[in-house]
Amino acid sequence: MGCASSNEAKEAKGNGVSKPAGDNGEAAPDPAAPKQNPYLSLTPKDVFSLKMSWKGVRRCLEETGTSIFKLLFDAHPEYLTHYEKLKDIPKDRLYSSTPFLDYVNGVMETMDIHVTELDDAEKTHQNIKRHGKDFKKIDIADTIFKDLREPILKSLEQILGDRYTDRMRNIYEIFIDYYLKTMTDGYNS
């Protein structure tokens, strides 16, 4: 069964047809095989798992972002004073206010792009650095990146629920550490 092209491919394999050899006589690398991201210590399989898991986060970007920044501002209220559009909103209305939600959606949509484009390592790395540099515009200390780690991970765990397995926790920790370090590098460049 299967489509004609699938059957033809199976027959070709069965007839001893192999990939063309490279210059050194070895089989040429499969051009469709994902490449290791040189900036991120995750295997291509881990990156694939991250991107598949992220689909669950993508459905709840605003909720995830609200959770992240609520946890951040509760633990570090001093950061809120750096956000011109947010600092004068009473805390009881802050997390449902339009300026807050606009900010959260912007941050999370940017992070969504960075996750979904991880296969283009160089482009994504440079975009994350550029995003980190943007934080200088709000005159906030680069310690915000270190302080964002736990709120992000707790929010991901909350959103993903039982899909946040030990393996996925490890993958997200590696990715978030890379993400925040790269943003810090961009901020300090």
Side-chain angles (χ1 to χ4, degrees):
M1 292 310 274
C3 66
S5 61
S6 297
N7 290 333
E8 290 168 8
K10 287 178 188 174
E11 288 174 16
K13 277 187 177 178
N15 291 334
V17 177
S18 63
K19 296 180 206 170
D23 291 340
N24 59 5
E26 296 177 9
D30 182 359
K35 296 177 185 168
Q36 176 74 36
N37 184 319
Y39 301 106
L40 185 59
S41 62
L42 292 174
T43 66
K45 180 181 175 183
D46 291 338
V47 171
F48 177 80
S49 295
L50 172 67
K51 290 168 69 174
M52 291 300 105
S53 172
W54 186 259
K55 288 180 179 184
V57 177
R58 178 183 287 147
R59 289 188 288 270
C60 306
L61 286 179
E62 185 173 279
E63 182 181 346
T64 306
T66 298
S67 175
I68 290 168
F69 284 95
K70 184 176 184 325
L71 290 168
L72 177 70
F73 293 151
D74 286 350
H76 302 279
E78 69 276 10
Y79 289 136
L80 189 55
T81 63
H82 294 277
Y83 293 88
E84 197 62 40
K85 293 181 180 179
L86 305 179
K87 67 182 182 181
D88 295 327
I89 300 172
K91 195 117 180 194
D92 63 328
R93 292 192 354 237
L94 177 64
Y95 303 117
S96 60
S97 71
T98 300
F100 176 79
L101 295 175
D102 287 347
Y103 178 73
V104 162
N105 285 322
V107 168
M108 293 307 294
E109 287 167 6
T110 300
M111 191 172 194
D112 179 54
I113 291 167
H114 294 155
V115 171
T116 57
E117 292 185 349
L118 274 174
D119 293 330
D120 189 344
E122 187 60 36
K123 175 184 170 188
T124 301
H125 186 75
Q126 294 308 317
N127 285 341
I128 295 169
K129 282 179 78 171
R130 195 171 16 264
H131 186 57
K133 197 172 200 166
D134 289 345
F135 273 77
K136 273 193 171 179
K137 295 175 187 172
I138 59 173
D139 191 33
I140 199 164
D142 68 352
T143 56
I144 192 170
F145 302 118
K146 176 182 69 74
D147 294 333
L148 271 167
R149 184 182 192 274
E150 287 309 310
I152 292 172
L153 292 172
K154 284 181 184 176
S155 297
L156 290 170
E157 181 176 15
Q158 176 187 343
I159 292 298
L160 293 171
D162 61 354
R163 294 170 291 174
Y164 196 71
T165 62
D166 289 340
R167 179 173 179 271
M168 287 312 305
R169 176 189 316 274
N170 184 52
I171 289 171
Y172 273 110
E173 286 176 351
I174 291 168
F175 172 71
I176 296 303
D177 288 345
Y178 155 75
Y179 193 79
L180 295 174
K181 181 192 179 314
T182 304
M183 287 184 62
T184 303
D185 292 348
Y187 179 96
N188 291 322
S189 65

